[in-house]
Amino acid sequence: MGLVDTHCHLQTDRFDEDRDEILARSREALDWLVVIGDTLASSEAGVALCGDGIYAAVGVHPYHPEEVIEAGLTKLRELAARPGVVAIGEIGLDYYKYNDAPPEAQQAAFRAQLELAVELDLPVVIHNRESEDDLSSILDEYHQSLPGGILHCFAGSDAYLERGLGWGFHISFAGNVTFPKAQELRDRAVDVPFDRLLIETDSPYLAPQPVRGKRCEPAYVRHTAETLAEVKGVSYDELVAQTAANAARLFRIPVEKSQAES
Ligand code: NI
């Protein structure tokens, strides 16, 4: 089994000029990838890219709780029924100072989408920024009804990591784990059981160290895989095979299919 990217935003306008090239390079470098939604429109655009090794998650980011009204949920339900949709996300909470969506509105949108994931029996892709306490108490309520989840682009505390593992969730690391100053984050990765570890790019953001500052793309996930292989003390091939198997199991992507497509 080859590399997979469990989290990228290939539908954003930063790829408008050369998306076909990026898609071709991604297909060459990876077995498969998941395009993640953050608004209703980007969720729909992600679903439109599905097929031939491309899967999608649909959901509304905590920056846009105003989209998660009845009509928005109906739209997400419709999109989630399309072929290739494997998760609800990215959803969660974001209390960073530049986000002016009120916490109460974010929490309501988060809960509504968690309920949708329970209803549709889909795993969730979780975004957290400076909101560990509220996010954790909400997930304490829902995790048992969900078929799994991902703490995406993990950069949280030890306590949050422990809680996430307690929920049975997977922990996904992005390019920031390769940064020289990220030793603390690499130390956390040591504590993630190998069968719960995932890798992602979050492209176009967070290009790994060797390509830092560039627009990130899915093929760069190999740099994150190299770093995590060192951190876990396994070979690169082992790291790639294990993280791909973890992702396939969580997203229920048949391995035979992903191999045939590679
Ligand atoms: Ni993202």
Side-chain angles (χ1 to χ4, degrees), residues 15 18 30 65 80 83 115 129 154 160 162 167 172 177 187 201 240 254:
F15 294 110
D18 57 353
L30 310 174
E115 269 153 36
R129 197 166 185 190
F154 188 82
Y160 181 54
E162 212 169 295
W167 298 324
S172 183
V177 79
D187 292 342
T201 57
V240 166

Side-chain angles (χ1 to χ4, degrees), residues 73-131:
L73 289 165
T74 300
K75 181 77 190 173
L76 288 176
R77 198 175 278 114
E78 246 171 59
L79 289 172
R82 305 253 196 101
V85 176
V86 293
I88 297 295
E90 56 186 284
I91 62 174
L93 300 176
D94 190 319
Y95 294 171
Y96 189 56
K97 59 185 171 179
Y98 296 119
N99 179 11
D100 33 66
E104 302 71 31
Q106 291 188 40
Q107 289 165 22
F110 185 34
R111 284 176 182 278
Q113 293 182 94
L114 287 169
E115 269 153 36
L116 183 68
V118 170
E119 172 197 322
L120 301 176
D121 193 36
L122 286 170
V124 289
V125 181
I126 302 295
H127 170 99
N128 157 54
R129 197 166 185 190
E130 299 183 10
S131 63

